[in-house]
């Protein structure tokens, strides 16, 4: 069969495979680009990035794991706060319970090492889907290779053992679904309904799916997806909760990850490149009359500029679409036509491979590799100080920052109640205001401290409140390079 290498339509790939010349049984051992990038991401995450520890640099992983284990033990969702002495017993909505169960199950099997592997595999799956989306939309092989580095350099800013990683996987799958949803209408709508039901029980980003479907002018698919999201333990209360949380400006203004990214930070040049490439792709999409791609890129760019949490989503979901339109623009440059043709040939060769046998072997290798014990970084969390905390009486009311709170929930399996942790949607904006005033030792902090009757304080050694408490007569019972434990004077 002869293939016209200058015809982009001849190079179009299927989401799962590609019917091209040269595919044979040996292709299962010849990895394609998507699998190569997934394997690179897996080993980069765990070994170069030190995912065994850095995946746990956000302490929210602690309460997600313990909540998941509780659900596995009781076969029921926790409906009231089990972790704090400040709001204990207050109604609480665990709106990411599906992800919690996965984390809890991985922890039951292999401890924090198992959790690290679970999320590293999910991150690798994102890279695999990223390439698949690029090719499904009609992207270029060499351009995909070039954009892989800025994509990984942007996404790794939020490589964390938290549910949003599963949200990335689901959003990529949704975009692939919209790009290739050419099956029978009933099957498409049925898949959309199931998709909505699954996503709503895993991560709150499900609200993006109908908006993206609207960009693709697939209103019925988006509507059926939205209908499926009602199948969750909280019903429509989940939607109301997510809406209230994401529209609470007073609260989100005090949550660091919802602030705009600092483009003066180290390594920000890769993130800036991601934003610029996405924007260029959006402009070209308009010129190429792909308004659906342009709208998706515009939506994700707006989210990413408003919130740092949106930058990984931009890299994962907008760059593949930008690839399509950048490659079309490059194909019109006369002296680049040979490179475009060469890239097309590489794409054909890539389509004849899969190498899927390497995927389970790589995961098995990671599981068997004698890596350092996984855990929360001791230079960021009171790992050493936790022994001193364990010696305190059960009635002790320990003042600690939200970052320490999540770790303490994990360390003591919820038995040691905390003042505050990362569930900002649960504690609310007024609590957050008081918390920040207290931790920064601003005027009025003594009244807030007296309100909660703290008996001890576990604080970072660079906390402004540490000196303020010491000046007020609190005694230091323990101190190391990371944290100090103080006791209130009698």
């Amino acid at each position: 069969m002869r293939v016209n290498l200058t015809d982009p339509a001849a190079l179009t790939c299927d989401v799962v495979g590609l019917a091209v010349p040269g595919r044979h049984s040996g292709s299962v051992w010849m990895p394609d680009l998507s699998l190569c990038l997934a394997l690179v991401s897996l080993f980069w995450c765990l070994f170069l990035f030190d995912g065994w520890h850095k995946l746990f640099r956000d302490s929210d992983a602690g309460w997600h794991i313990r909540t998941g284990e509780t659900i596995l033990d009781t076969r029921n969702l926790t409906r009231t706060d089990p972790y704090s002495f400040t709001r204990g017993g207050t109604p609480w909505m665990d709106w990411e319970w599906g992800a919690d169960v996965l984390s809890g199950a991985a922890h039951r099997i292999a401890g924090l090492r198992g959790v690290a592997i679970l999320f590293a595999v999910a991150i690798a799956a994102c890279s695999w889907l990223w390439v698949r989306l690029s090719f499904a939309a009609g992207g270029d092989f060499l351009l995909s290779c070039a954009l892989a580095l800025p994509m990984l350099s942007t996404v790794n800013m939020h490589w964390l053992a938290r549910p949003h990683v599963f949200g990335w996987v689901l959003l990529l799958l949704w975009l692939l679904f919209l790009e290739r949803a050419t099956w029978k209408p009933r099957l498409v709508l049925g898949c959309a309904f199931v998709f909505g039901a699954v996503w709503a029980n895993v991560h709150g980003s499900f609200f993006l799916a109908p908006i993206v479907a609207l960009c693709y002018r697939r209103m019925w698919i988006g509507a059926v997806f939205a209908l499926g999201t009602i199948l969750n333990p909280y019903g429509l209360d989940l939607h109301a909760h997510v809406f209230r949380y994401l529209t609470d400006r007073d609260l989100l203004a005090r949550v660091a990850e919802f602030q705009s990214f600092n483009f003066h930070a180290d390594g920000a040049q890769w993130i800036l490149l991601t934003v610029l490439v996405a924007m260029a792709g959006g402009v070209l999409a308009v010129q190429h009359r792909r308004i659906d791609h342009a709208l998706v890129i515009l939506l994700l760019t707006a989210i990413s500029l408003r919130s740092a949490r949106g930058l990984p989503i931009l890299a994962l979901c907008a760059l593949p679409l930008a690839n399509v339109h950048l490659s079309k623009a490059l194909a019109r440059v006369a002296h680049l036509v040979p490179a475009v043709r060469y890239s097309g040939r590489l794409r054909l060769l890539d389509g004849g491979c899969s190498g899927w046998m390497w995927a389970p072997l790589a995961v098995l290798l990671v599981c068997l590799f004698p890596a350092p014990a996984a855990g929360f970084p001791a230079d960021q969390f009171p790992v050493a100080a936790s022994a001193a905390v364990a010696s305190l009486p059960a009635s002790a009311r320990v003042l600690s920052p939200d970052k320490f709170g999540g770790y303490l929930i994990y360390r003591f399996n919820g038995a040691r109640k905390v003042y505050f942790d990362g569930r900002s949607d649960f504690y609310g904006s007024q609590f957050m205001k008081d918390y920040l005033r207290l931790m920064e030792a601003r005027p009025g902090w003594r009244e807030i401290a007296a309100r909660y009757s703290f008996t001890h304080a576990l604080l970072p050694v660079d906390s402004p409140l540490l000196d303020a408490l010491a000046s007020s007569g609190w005694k230091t019972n323990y101190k190391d390079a990371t944290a100090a434990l103080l006791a209130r004077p009698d």
Side-chain angles (χ1 to χ4, degrees), residues 58-281:
D58 187 305
S59 70
D60 281 3
W63 68 261
H64 281 297
I65 291 169
R66 294 307 186 192
T67 302
E69 291 182 323
T70 300
I71 296 172
L72 291 172
D73 286 339
T74 63
R75 300 293 191 272
N76 286 305
L77 297 184
T78 305
R79 298 284 182 167
T80 58
D81 173 39
Y83 298 127
S84 75
F85 60 78
T86 50
R87 300 203 64 192
T90 304
W92 170 51
M93 179 180 293
D94 181 18
W95 46 306
E96 297 165 333
W97 70 271
D100 293 351
V101 168
L102 292 175
S103 298
H107 190 265
R108 285 287 174 85
I109 295 171
L112 288 178
R113 179 183 175 86
V115 177
I117 292 173
L118 169 67
F119 281 92
V121 169
I123 287 167
C126 288
S127 294
W128 186 87
L129 291 167
W130 182 81
V131 177
R132 290 294 182 180
L133 177 60
S134 298
F135 291 161
D140 180 78
F141 182 91
L142 290 179
L143 199 53
S144 296
C145 296
L147 293 177
L149 183 56
M151 182 275 288
L152 290 173
S153 299
T154 301
V155 174
N156 71 20
M157 67 185 293
H158 275 165
W159 278 357
L160 299 166
R162 284 175 42 188
H164 67 264
V165 175
F166 300 125
W168 295 346
V169 174
L170 291 167
L171 184 54
L172 283 165
L173 283 171
W174 182 246
L175 281 166
L176 272 170
F177 177 71
L178 292 175
E179 286 284 343
R180 289 296 180 181
T182 56
W183 319 318
K184 294 181 179 180
R186 289 184 180 179
L187 181 58
V188 170
L189 294 178
C191 289
F193 184 85
V194 173
F195 217 121
V198 171
W199 200 337
N201 289 284
V202 173
H203 190 249
S205 59
F206 66 86
F207 71 92
L208 280 173
I211 301 175
V212 172
L214 185 61
C215 294
Y216 274 87
R217 290 174 292 181
R218 302 287 186 92
M219 282 73 77
W220 281 108
I221 295 179
V224 172
F225 176 97
L227 188 62
T229 63
I230 300 175
L231 293 184
N232 70 83
Y234 308 103
L236 290 174
D237 287 344
L238 171 65
H239 302 70
H241 180 81
V242 173
F243 178 80
R244 285 194 300 268
Y245 179 47
L246 295 179
T247 56
D248 190 340
R249 297 182 181 179
D250 207 26
L251 175 60
L252 297 186
R254 292 167 173 80
V255 179
E257 61 188 23
F258 283 104
Q259 307 310 302
S260 298
F261 177 73
N262 177 15
F263 285 95
H264 297 283
D266 292 338
Q269 67 274 11
W270 293 109
I271 299 173
L272 179 60
L273 177 61
T274 294
V275 175
L276 293 177
V277 169
M279 293 173 66

Side-chain angles (χ1 to χ4, degrees), residues 361-397:
L361 289 176
V363 175
L364 180 62
L365 179 63
V366 166
C367 293
L368 297 178
F369 189 84
F376 290 84
D379 61 340
Q380 299 181 40
F381 297 98
V383 177
S386 62
V389 176
S391 66
L392 299 178
S395 59
R397 296 167 70 89

Side-chain angles (χ1 to χ4, degrees), residues 430-447:
Q430 186 56 52
F431 189 101
M432 182 78 81
K433 290 178 182 178
D434 291 344
Y435 163 76
L436 292 174
R437 181 179 297 274
L438 174 59
M439 297 305 298
E440 295 170 3
R442 299 205 306 261
W445 71 267
R446 289 182 174 83
E447 290 75 8

Side-chain angles (χ1 to χ4, degrees), residues 265-352:
D266 292 338
Q269 67 274 11
W270 293 109
I271 299 173
L272 179 60
L273 177 61
T274 294
V275 175
L276 293 177
V277 169
M279 293 173 66
V283 172
L284 291 171
V286 174
Q287 293 181 355
H288 298 152
R289 298 183 179 180
R290 285 301 304 268
I291 304 303
D292 50 353
H293 287 177
L295 289 174
V296 171
I297 293 173
L298 176 63
L299 169 68
L300 298 182
T301 302
I303 292 173
S304 68
L305 293 178
R306 185 176 178 83
S307 168
R309 286 194 63 170
L311 286 167
I313 299 176
L314 180 75
L316 287 169
C317 300
L319 287 186
L321 304 183
N323 181 336
V324 179
H325 303 287
L326 289 170
S327 61
K328 287 182 179 180
L330 293 175
R332 295 173 182 172
V333 180
H335 67 276
L336 293 179
V337 170
V340 173
R341 291 178 177 175
Y342 176 65
S343 183
R345 293 187 181 97
L346 292 176
R347 176 68 191 101
L348 285 174
L349 291 174
D350 181 79

